[in-house]
Amino acid sequence: MLTVHHLGKSQSERIVWLCEELELPYELKHYARDSITMLAPPDYKALHPIGAAPVITDGDLVLAESGAIVDYIMAKHGNGRLLLRADDPDFAQFLYWFHFANGTLQAGMGRLMLLNRLKLAEDNPMLAATKARVDRALDLVDARVRYADYLAGSTFTTADIMIVFSLTTMRYFQPYDLARCPNVVKYLARIGARPAYRRAMEKGDPGMALLLS
């Protein structure tokens, strides 16, 4: 059976959510962050050489990286669900936003988090440039979901599963006021209404407040 190794408050929530959307049988193993450093515990780091979440095991396979895990699960168990075909008019949008999630938005928020931990001056050029890049990325998401229910258009896809962590749980590590992105807030309300999302979050991080606004 597929095992999702879930580190609390981490990108592995995407994989729990995907399994719930697909109604896929899986085993969920919880790992708690260190209460002081907020880093993964040694037994989680030992799962894969990169030492970061998410990680799955499937028989002898050990696989990391959100995008790779999502692609793997979809190829084996998706049966065409939560994806767009190449002949769909929104196929390119689906591809773009699927890769934008970690390639641009999450990467930018991660850099901003690290720079903020350095306690740099507010006028530090690198800090200012990184903040501006995150703002532009979120503005782009806001513009997209102003007219589209989901990132790929009218259809919920794995692109949405990839991006929501950065818009929600990541804000525990890098706070960001979504008041400037009203369409993102409406989008997150649609996400929060999905039963599979609610099940996944309660199973993965029971009792955690969901930052949906």
Side-chain angles (χ1 to χ4, degrees):
M1 180 181 290
L2 178 74
T3 300
V4 180
H5 298 270
H6 176 60
L7 177 64
K9 290 183 179 177
S10 81
Q11 297 180 55
S12 55
E13 73 178 38
R14 295 167 172 151
I15 312 307
V16 184
W17 182 14
L18 175 61
C19 290
E20 290 294 327
E21 290 282 355
L22 295 175
E23 299 183 322
L24 177 67
Y26 67 101
E27 180 181 3
L28 182 61
K29 288 191 175 181
H30 290 86
Y31 299 77
R33 290 179 178 272
D34 184 280
S35 60
I36 304 299
T37 66
M38 291 302 291
L39 298 176
D43 53 345
Y44 197 96
K45 292 179 179 179
L47 290 169
H48 188 275
I50 203 67
V55 174
I56 63 165
T57 50
D58 190 12
D60 293 331
L61 174 72
V62 180
L63 186 62
E65 286 294 336
S66 296
I69 293 171
V70 170
D71 282 345
Y72 174 82
I73 291 175
M74 293 304 296
K76 292 197 69 174
H77 306 287
N79 296 319
R81 294 171 291 172
L82 306 182
L83 302 173
L84 296 187
R85 293 168 52 93
D87 58 358
D88 190 292
D90 288 319
F91 177 67
Q93 289 287 344
F94 164 68
L95 287 181
Y96 175 78
W97 290 106
F98 182 91
H99 292 283
F100 173 93
N102 263 18
T104 297
L105 181 56
Q106 181 60 28
M109 294 189 78
R111 284 192 293 269
L112 184 57
M113 177 186 71
L114 293 175
L115 288 172
N116 281 329
R117 288 180 179 178
L118 296 176
K119 305 298 183 184
L120 301 172
E122 282 295 316
D123 61 352
N124 179 277
M126 181 62 71
L127 178 60
T130 303
K131 283 182 176 179
R133 184 173 177 83
V134 171
D135 285 347
R136 288 197 302 273
L138 285 163
D139 287 345
L140 192 62
V141 178
D142 195 66
R144 175 60 178 166
V145 295
R146 180 179 181 182
Y147 299 108
D149 286 343
Y150 299 104
L151 293 178
S154 60
T155 303
F156 175 85
T157 68
T158 54
D160 301 292
I161 290 176
M162 286 294 293
I163 208 169
V164 167
F165 168 83
S166 304
L167 300 174
T168 57
T169 308
M170 181 60 187
R171 288 159 51 214
Y172 276 107
F173 304 93
Q174 175 50 56
Y176 193 94
D177 185 359
L178 286 181
R180 60 186 297 279
C181 300
N183 300 305
V184 169
V185 174
K186 293 175 184 177
Y187 166 74
L188 290 177
R190 293 192 288 276
I191 295 298
R194 297 187 70 83
Y197 177 76
R198 291 285 180 172
R199 289 196 308 271
M201 298 309 295
E202 184 56 31
K203 288 180 180 181
D205 290 275
M208 182 183 76
L210 304 181
L211 303 183
L212 294 169
S213 61

